[in-house]
Amino acid sequence: EFAALLSGVEEDEPLHRWLLRSFFGLSPLVCRELVYRSCGSTDAPAAALDEVQRSRLCAAWDDLLRRIREEEYAPTMLVQQGKPMDYSCFPIAQYEGAAEAVSFGSMGELLDAFCETRERAERVRQLGHDLRQTATAARDRVRRKIAVQEKEYQTTQNRDALRRAGDLITANLYRMEKGVAVLEAEDYYQENMPVVQIALDPLLTPQQNAAKYYKRYNKAKTAEKVLREQIEKGKVELEYLESILSIHIKADEVFHDVKEAGLLKQSYKECVK
């Protein structure tokens, strides 16, 4: 009966899809396994079937039904790179060396391990994702903060002009009156002593205007020291955050390379323990 149904399959239809479409109760994994055991490939089309492969597929089908009738089950979990990817109550060979086949004593034990490990792996993945997001957001925030502080730091480098303005106001107190908005005075700090203009607050006395410039100078001088310390501290924090992100990325790359090279020999159950 199976052979008769098989003879009616369209030649361009993949065999595993025909099996899945034609029979209830078969998982995609089992359908691919039947085709693999018959043709050596999971995606073989019906057109590629020769008589030997057709006979093998019928035999694989009979063996599957026999296992079900005789309750000859082999609970198997497929694990790839330490993560459970699928399971079956029959042996699975289609992944060859690309996945580890882990056997269990019962389907209940298998399903418990599968669900528990998937949940644990998802929690670890989510924690890793959250860590990366948090570290990335913190790194970007520190970068912006440093940029603002460096801009403020540059403004403190012009503080000597504030002190000179205070000195020039003090030197010209004798000819200044309250209410003047601009002081024109010779700048004796420069060669040839050019005449410069110094903005004043007309609501303040000359002495108060001088004191205001000195206060701004001292504030800028203090700010320079504080900003320099904050920038250095920020750079240390930025380096630390970037190292976390770098370690996270390299850990993923190293694990992938080790698995690809076949150097990770621990079995799935050993890793879980």
Side-chain angles (χ1 to χ4, degrees):
E1 183 180 0
F2 179 83
L5 290 171
L6 181 58
S7 64
V9 63
E10 296 181 6
E11 291 190 351
D12 60 343
E13 183 175 17
L15 283 171
H16 69 89
R17 290 186 182 175
W18 171 76
L19 286 167
L20 190 63
R21 176 174 60 82
S22 302
F23 300 96
F24 291 111
L26 293 182
S27 69
L29 178 65
V30 171
C31 291
R32 293 195 304 270
E33 184 67 18
L34 289 171
V35 177
Y36 174 80
R37 290 175 180 271
S38 309
C39 306
S41 171
T42 59
D43 55 359
L49 270 181
D50 57 27
E51 288 304 317
V52 174
Q53 291 172 335
R54 187 180 297 271
S55 177
R56 287 176 180 170
L57 182 56
C58 290
W61 176 259
D62 285 341
D63 183 61
L64 176 65
L65 296 184
R66 179 192 62 79
R67 283 177 174 273
I68 295 173
R69 284 193 300 267
E70 298 177 5
E71 299 185 0
E72 186 183 317
Y73 300 116
T76 303
M77 183 193 299
L78 296 169
V79 181
Q80 195 171 55
Q81 295 186 355
K83 299 177 182 178
M85 55 181 289
D86 212 333
Y87 60 86
S88 173
C89 53
F90 307 108
I92 300 297
Q94 62 188 266
Y95 290 98
E96 299 177 347
E100 179 187 0
V102 184
S103 298
F104 289 84
S106 68
M107 285 301 296
E109 182 184 347
L110 183 156
L111 292 173
D112 285 345
F114 184 85
C115 295
E116 179 183 351
T117 311
R118 282 286 287 266
E119 289 174 2
R120 186 187 306 125
E122 177 60 25
R123 287 197 299 271
V124 171
R125 188 201 66 78
Q126 187 61 48
L127 285 172
H129 175 73
D130 292 347
L131 171 62
R132 191 166 185 171
Q133 276 197 327
T134 301
T136 300
R139 179 200 62 188
D140 294 344
R141 183 170 61 252
V142 171
R143 280 179 176 175
R144 291 192 297 269
K145 184 177 179 180
I146 291 175
V148 172
Q149 289 172 338
E150 287 179 336
K151 187 176 181 180
E152 292 177 352
Y153 180 83
Q154 289 302 318
T155 62
T156 66
Q157 301 307 295
N158 300 322
R159 64 181 182 277
D160 284 343
L162 300 172
R163 178 178 56 79
R164 289 198 298 269
D167 290 347
L168 292 177
I169 293 173
T170 302
N172 289 274
L173 287 176
Y174 67 94
R175 64 186 189 87
M176 293 176 61
E177 295 180 1
K178 183 178 180 179
V180 178
V182 176
L183 168 65
E184 291 187 352
E186 294 179 340
D187 185 357
Y188 53 79
Y189 283 101
Q190 300 185 53
E191 190 177 355
N192 300 326
M193 296 191 299
V195 175
V196 296
Q197 292 185 338
I198 301 173
L200 302 174
D201 185 343
L203 299 178
L204 301 178
T205 66
Q207 291 89 343
Q208 289 173 330
N209 271 289
K212 183 177 180 180
Y213 273 102
Y214 287 134
K215 183 177 181 180
R216 289 173 59 191
Y217 166 77
N218 289 325
K219 184 178 180 180
K221 186 176 180 180
T222 302
E224 180 191 33
K225 179 182 178 181
V226 173
L227 286 169
R228 185 167 57 245
E229 293 174 352
Q230 290 179 342
I231 291 170
E232 290 302 317
K233 183 179 179 180
K235 287 181 177 180
V236 172
E237 184 178 1
L238 179 62
E239 184 178 357
Y240 170 69
L241 292 169
E242 288 180 338
S243 71
I244 289 178
L245 290 170
S246 177
I247 290 172
H248 186 86
I249 294 170
K250 286 181 179 178
D252 289 341
E253 293 175 349
V254 169
F255 182 79
H256 176 74
D257 291 344
V258 169
K259 289 291 295 183
E260 287 293 314
L263 299 177
L264 192 60
K265 298 300 183 181
Q266 273 188 310
S267 70
Y268 168 78
K269 288 186 176 180
E270 288 173 334
C271 290
V272 171
K273 290 178 182 179

